[in-house]
Amino acid sequence: MNRIVLRRLAQVIPLVLAVIVLNFVLIHLAPGSLFDVMTAEQQISDPAMLDQLRHTYGVDQPTWVQLAKYIWSVMRLDLGFSYRQNAPVLNVIMDQLPATVILMLAATSVALLVGVTAGVLASVRVNTIWDNLISLAAVFFFAAPSFWLGIMMTVLFAVKLGWFPVGGIRTIGAGNGPFADALDVMHHLVLPATALGLFYAATYARVMRASMLEVFRLDFVRTARAKGLSPARVVLAHVMRNALLPIVTLLGLQLGTILGGSVVIEAVFSWPGIGSLLFDSVMSRNFPMVLGVLVLGSLLVAVANATVDLLYLRLDPRIRAR
Amino acid sequence: MSRFSRRDFLITTAGAALASGMAGPALAGLETPKRGGTLIGTWGGFEPQSLFVPPGGGSSPYFTSTKVLERLIRLTVDLKFEPVLAVDIKPSADFKSYTIKLREGVTWHDGNAFTADDVVFNAMQYWKPISAGVSLDALEGAEAADPLTVVLKFKAPVPEFFLKSVLAGKSGLVIPKHIYAGSNIITNPINNAPIGTGPFKVKEWVRGSHVEYLRNEKYWNPGLPYLDRLVIRWWRDPASRAAAFEAGQLDIGTFNPIPMPDIARLTSGGKFIAETKGYSNSAWVTTIEFNQRREIFKKREVRQALMQAIDRQFIADTVFFGRARPSIGAVASSNSIFFTKDVQDYPFDVKKAEKILDAAGFPVKGGSRFKLSLVSAGWFEENIKIGQYVKQAFEDLDITVDLAVPDRATSLKRIYSDYDYDVAISNNSGSVELIPSTTQYYTTDGIVKGAAFRNATGYSNPKLDEIVAKMTVETDEPKRVALAKDFDRLATIEAPLLPMVDLEPVTIVRSDVRNHSATADFMGESWAELWLDR
């Protein structure tokens, strides 16, 4: 087990280096630069001022020097300074990270709960009206654009019924102790987490259904039934546990993308997450910020991969033998 | 002290002047304002990169910083200057120096007194080198005659309207000397939680969500602001803003906060008002620019012919749902001081355009007159549609068009840094004063490679430069207006670039919000006078 963890962590260094170099090159290949965007917004035309800013932003140096400097500072665990936000990159990311993590974890939980339940139900009642309804819903939630779903949910639940707030993460100015605050955040979380979660749930439901049907055909299930186990026990303890592996794989992939957030859902619900930050940073060619998010993201992917590997071991002891 | 200050009187009269023009919110100026409450506002764009961006930084930081930082004077909706931090600004007889009398008893949010030293620091260290740039080229020095008097000295005569426009404009914010002196103003961390003299203090900025301001209890104008709390919140999606209005979670949104088709629905119930006043000092236009570095566009007739090929009424009606007007000349029609109708007009006439192009030596050969690249700047969604329309309009003249609608950074680079376009569609927002915000698109000194929102066409005409140079030093207002009209006429005939449509931005506001939209640039106003009738 330790070997797996160590092996995964050893992969982090080349991964982060590759992420930095690749994205640095990509963002420099895109036309326009942070300098162009900043000076345009600030309406600066004085040549002396332009030179001063070029120096401040460090764009007066050759690209490879900029890259080397960036890698060196990341090695010292410094993600650099964002002149656009006029703050250190890490501070800006940390400001928006909690909201992103809460939203993505909540959405993933919704997805797992709804998706796995629906998948199990569909496979147990295969080819009945239940199965068809679940498949239909899965196709619908997968195909419906999440911004549309988000807006429709807002119109129904926030505008017409008034059950939930229209957006944001907290009631502004409300501070009634940690418990009330947590409830407040949860109240704001319901709509965005559901809108995003249902999209993921659609995939989980389809994968779970297929995987369950596959396992149902295996010999040990017949044995379990022949032993006289109750149908519920057969489904939950024997079939479901074995059918969960592909779900865990999917989950691992999805956990890796958590840091990216969801630009669309964040936009619709004005959720203060990383997705919008990353999007704005790409649009303004703010490469320290883009690289900062991606470096942290690649660390998270590595950790998520290691966790998934460990989960595999727990779910299917046969993997250890290999 | 009397119960009504001069300022209160001015505000009330401004409200009354407004009321004569329309019913509804402006009548509120005559009611007794109520104290208290929280106002939640937004605008039709995104969160600022920083709450205050010293050199400018666009509309979003301008919106958030002006609730905290004030200017010496402001411009009302009927284009009169009104005192804020300065009670009086007087030119000398030769217009080469100005004496500014400052308001007494003004303090910064941290308790320090606001004095003439602050204004001297701003003039020499902030306005001239950073925010105002070329506008204050003639500024030679500033000195404090006494703690409440500042004298600005210029090396050439400076027209009064011009200087006051700079001081009342986007670049005239007054920042505290005791905080900024000795630091790099642009990267000072205080810019993310600015300290000013304004009616509101920054309480907290939650990145990605909102900024919360609290009432400044020690504001120099007793009784103001009326609100206890102001929240500026950002939604990235216009439809979500409309939903927030309907759910009662948003009170006011400036600069087209919601999708155009939603405006009629929202305002039909009487619960919301669509207000178009309050934008004249920041008049947005959509322009078309002809790159003079291309042989084809060195011919004036070609530029004029292409102007005639575009149905600008169609753009106004279809792309902007009627919230725009075809432009007349180079000066926005909302500019009641310098605008003139007496300019060359370019009515939509394809036949005539074809004839001009034939005569200019560009007949149809092999199905096409010539090929051009059209770059429509992708920072506004409307520019996508306008680009597509203009492409079709040019193709109707048998011109082959290669259309690109690049994203913001790429558009800036192609149009203003690389000059990599034949015809460009762009935008700008001009102040009432034409120098430099409008003139720099036409004058030779407006050509600065890599500096955006200036002369990117490379057009250079000594005659036009001379008119603008005269305007810069002409201190007699009627003569100056006449020069401005000369400039407008010449620019319109020459047509190196011209506005196609004047945009008519809308503020959506709940009907119980009073005293809004009474200044020429309402979004950049302190909002001290806003009150809630609840």
Side-chain angles (χ1 to χ4, degrees):
Chain A
M1 188 175 135
N2 281 339
R3 241 184 57 208
I4 288 181
V5 174
L6 281 178
R7 203 171 59 207
R8 287 297 184 198
L9 292 184
Q11 288 169 354
V12 169
I13 294 166
L15 177 71
V16 169
L17 261 182
V19 162
I20 292 177
V21 174
L22 193 70
N23 288 291
F24 191 89
V25 171
L26 275 180
I27 211 155
H28 276 85
L29 283 178
S33 68
L34 175 67
F35 177 75
D36 292 332
V37 173
M38 294 285 283
T39 52
E41 276 179 353
Q42 304 180 353
Q43 304 262 307
I44 294 169
S45 63
D46 181 18
M49 188 76 194
L50 289 176
D51 279 343
Q52 193 201 322
L53 284 178
R54 242 179 229 121
H55 183 71
T56 311
Y57 299 162
V59 290
D60 53 346
Q61 291 161 324
T63 313
W64 68 269
V65 175
Q66 294 178 39
L67 176 60
K69 275 191 165 171
Y70 186 78
I71 293 174
W72 173 235
S73 77
V74 170
M75 280 165 68
R76 287 174 299 146
L77 302 178
D78 173 11
L79 291 179
F81 190 84
S82 167
Y83 288 99
R84 195 167 162 76
Q85 276 88 5
N86 201 18
V89 168
L90 195 62
N91 292 10
V92 179
I93 292 178
M94 284 307 161
D95 274 355
Q96 309 210 340
L97 191 63
T100 303
V101 171
I102 290 172
L103 174 63
M104 295 307 275
L105 288 183
T108 310
S109 311
V110 169
L112 266 184
L113 202 72
V114 175
V116 170
T117 314
V120 170
L121 202 65
S123 66
V124 174
R125 302 274 161 87
V126 67
N127 292 337
T128 63
I129 180 80
W130 287 99
D131 185 20
N132 290 337
L133 277 179
I134 286 169
S135 296
L136 194 71
V139 170
F140 174 77
F141 285 117
F142 191 76
S146 40
F147 74 87
W148 178 82
L149 201 61
I151 289 173
M152 288 303 127
M153 286 171 71
T154 309
V155 168
L156 180 61
F157 295 108
V159 177
K160 296 280 179 241
L161 297 172
W163 292 351
F164 297 104
V166 171
I169 183 168
R170 289 177 59 183
T171 308
I172 294 165
N176 307 314
F179 185 67
D181 280 357
L183 273 183
D184 186 39
V185 170
M186 272 153 72
H187 189 213
H188 283 78
L189 187 61
V190 173
L191 289 184
T194 313
L196 191 57
L198 284 179
F199 172 76
Y200 294 128
T203 326
Y204 285 137
R206 298 297 292 166
V207 171
M208 192 66 192
R209 177 181 177 274
S211 176
M212 290 282 286
L213 290 178
E214 187 104 9
V215 179
F216 263 126
R217 280 203 298 268
L218 296 180
D219 291 345
F220 75 90
V221 178
R222 197 183 311 145
T223 313
R225 282 197 182 120
K227 274 199 304 191
L229 292 181
S230 70
R233 188 155 167 75
V234 171
V235 169
L236 294 177
H238 292 258
V239 183
M240 207 173 110
R241 177 164 175 179
N242 284 285
L244 270 178
L245 278 185
I247 295 286
V248 172
T249 313
L250 268 182
L251 181 68
L253 284 175
Q254 203 203 320
L255 282 179
T257 63
I258 272 193
L259 212 59
S262 165
V263 179
V264 175
I265 290 295
E266 285 173 17
V268 171
F269 292 99
S270 101
W271 193 264
I274 297 272
S276 326
L277 176 70
L278 188 60
F279 181 74
D280 285 344
S281 302
V282 171
M283 294 313 276
S284 59
R285 310 289 191 261
N286 186 2
F287 73 88
M289 191 58 79
V290 176
L291 287 177
V293 174
L294 293 175
V295 166
L296 287 183
S298 52
L299 289 176
L300 190 75
V301 169
V303 173
N305 278 345
T307 316
V308 166
D309 283 354
L310 295 179
L311 256 179
Y312 277 166
L313 289 183
R314 180 102 192 83
L315 281 172
D316 189 348
R318 286 172 302 175
I319 293 175
R320 199 176 319 196
R322 271 175 244 153
Chain B
M1 205 175 168
S2 70
R3 257 166 48 97
F4 291 101
S5 68
R6 178 174 140 78
R7 183 182 162 88
D8 284 337
F9 173 70
L10 280 166
I11 290 155
T12 318
T13 46
L18 250 171
S20 59
M22 55 173 194
L27 285 172
L30 305 172
E31 297 172 34
T32 315
K34 291 182 187 162
R35 268 268 297 118
T38 297
L39 180 93
I40 301 180
T42 192
W43 78 293
F46 302 155
E47 185 179 24
Q49 54 273 43
S50 178
L51 286 190
F52 168 50
V53 177
S59 303
S60 193
Y62 180 58
F63 185 36
T64 50
S65 60
T66 44
K67 310 298 164 272
V68 174
L69 299 166
E70 291 185 296
R71 279 158 282 200
L72 296 179
I73 47 177
R74 65 177 188 179
L75 192 60
T76 62
V77 79
D78 46 355
L79 304 188
K80 299 269 185 297
F81 291 104
E82 197 174 81
V84 183
L85 291 179
V87 288
D88 189 41
I89 299 178
K90 268 212 172 59
S92 61
D94 63 355
F95 287 91
K96 280 181 158 181
S97 86
Y98 279 79
T99 307
I100 303 173
K101 287 267 179 224
L102 301 177
R103 189 178 292 280
E104 243 184 285
V106 178
T107 54
W108 297 99
H109 291 166
D110 58 6
N112 285 291
F114 161 76
T115 66
D117 283 343
D118 286 307
V119 177
V120 171
F121 172 78
N122 274 275
M124 300 316 291
Q125 308 294 320
Y126 174 44
W127 298 339
K128 185 177 159 80
I130 297 176
S131 66
V134 288
S135 299
L136 289 180
D137 261 356
L139 180 66
E140 247 178 353
E143 55 188 57
D146 66 57
L148 290 176
T149 311
V150 179
V151 181
L152 299 181
K153 292 213 157 67
F154 298 89
K155 54 187 177 212
V158 173
E160 190 174 347
F161 187 83
F162 174 81
L163 182 71
K164 287 188 171 176
S165 295
V166 173
L167 297 178
K170 287 194 166 79
S171 53
L173 296 175
V174 180
I175 60 175
K177 179 186 177 186
H178 64 278
I179 285 175
Y180 284 96
S183 75
N184 183 341
I185 293 178
I186 294 177
T187 56
N188 194 318
I190 199 80
N191 296 339
N192 282 333
I195 285 179
T197 56
F200 295 101
K201 295 176 169 187
V202 177
K203 184 185 175 226
E204 186 193 18
W205 176 19
V206 180
R207 265 192 204 274
S209 170
H210 67 274
V211 55
E212 183 182 351
Y213 303 91
L214 291 183
R215 183 174 196 267
N216 175 8
E217 299 295 341
K218 291 180 182 146
Y219 191 52
W220 52 264
N221 197 343
L224 291 184
Y226 293 124
L227 298 169
D228 281 338
R229 205 153 60 119
L230 170 69
V231 174
I232 292 179
R233 208 172 139 181
W234 304 281
W235 280 264
R236 299 178 69 91
D237 180 40
S240 303
R241 288 184 207 118
F245 270 120
E246 286 186 280
Q249 290 167 27
L250 179 58
D251 301 309
I252 186 165
T254 60
F255 203 79
N256 300 332
I258 62 175
M260 297 283 182
D262 278 355
I263 294 175
R265 185 170 59 83
L266 232 64
T267 52
S268 64
K271 214 178 152 200
F272 298 97
I273 293 160
E275 176 59 77
T276 55
K277 288 215 159 62
Y279 293 97
S280 50
N281 205 26
S282 167
W284 281 88
V285 293
T286 303
T287 54
I288 185 156
E289 324 203 353
F290 303 105
N291 196 340
Q292 305 291 303
R293 296 166 191 86
R294 308 288 184 267
E295 281 309 315
I296 307 168
F297 296 118
K298 283 188 178 155
K299 285 203 170 164
R300 189 171 82 180
E301 301 88 318
V302 175
R303 310 193 294 256
Q304 292 176 330
L306 293 191
M307 282 302 293
Q308 298 219 294
I310 301 166
D311 184 356
R312 296 181 290 162
Q313 190 66 48
F314 173 83
I315 295 178
D317 292 343
T318 308
V319 178
F320 291 99
F321 296 91
R323 300 256 167 216
R325 293 178 299 273
S327 304
I328 301 167
V331 176
S333 57
S334 63
N335 189 335
S336 55
I337 295 180
F338 296 111
F339 173 72
T340 174
K341 275 190 175 162
D342 178 23
V343 291
Q344 167 94 27
D345 68 337
Y346 295 103
F348 176 53
D349 191 340
V350 181
K351 289 268 172 319
K352 199 171 159 204
E354 282 173 342
K355 267 185 210 145
I356 301 174
L357 286 179
D358 285 341
F362 297 104
V364 185
K365 257 189 273 175
S368 169
R369 291 176 196 274
F370 49 81
K371 190 172 188 287
L372 61 80
S373 75
L374 174 65
V375 175
S376 189
W379 46 69
F380 286 157
E381 206 182 306
E382 286 86 0
N383 289 3
I384 302 171
K385 296 178 195 160
I386 298 175
Q388 286 161 351
Y389 166 70
V390 171
K391 175 181 155 84
Q392 283 174 23
F394 287 175
E395 281 170 349
D396 288 345
L397 291 179
D398 298 309
I399 296 167
T400 312
V401 180
D402 179 17
L403 170 70
V405 189
D407 74 348
R408 185 180 168 77
T410 313
S411 300
L412 288 170
K413 191 172 167 62
R414 283 192 68 175
I415 301 174
Y416 297 103
S417 296
D418 297 347
Y419 303 136
D420 176 20
Y421 70 94
D422 296 333
V423 177
I425 292 166
S426 180
N427 299 87
N428 73 71
S429 77
S431 54
V432 172
E433 170 58 48
L434 301 180
I435 299 176
S437 71
T438 301
T439 53
Q440 68 192 358
Y441 282 89
Y442 301 88
T443 53
T444 310
D445 60 13
I447 307 172
V448 181
K449 198 173 167 69
F453 304 113
R454 267 164 191 80
N455 184 344
T457 62
Y459 175 77
S460 177
N461 181 347
K463 214 171 129 194
L464 191 141
D465 290 349
E466 197 194 314
I467 298 177
V468 174
K470 273 188 195 154
M471 250 176 94
T472 310
V473 294
E474 178 56 67
T475 53
D476 181 76
E477 284 305 324
K479 278 188 196 158
R480 199 158 182 269
V481 170
L483 282 170
K485 290 181 177 172
D486 289 345
F487 158 78
D488 195 357
R489 273 186 287 269
L490 185 58
T492 309
I493 286 182
E494 288 288 303
L497 89 158
L498 277 180
M500 291 193 290
V501 285
D502 291 11
L503 311 192
E504 201 174 64
V506 184
T507 301
I508 302 293
V509 55
R510 260 174 83 112
S511 49
D512 58 4
V513 178
R514 302 299 161 92
N515 249 358
H516 57 83
S517 309
T519 46
D521 192 2
F522 172 63
M523 198 177 157
E525 198 43 60
S526 75
W527 291 18
E529 295 93 353
L530 257 65
W531 58 278
L532 299 169
D533 191 15
R534 288 184 191 157

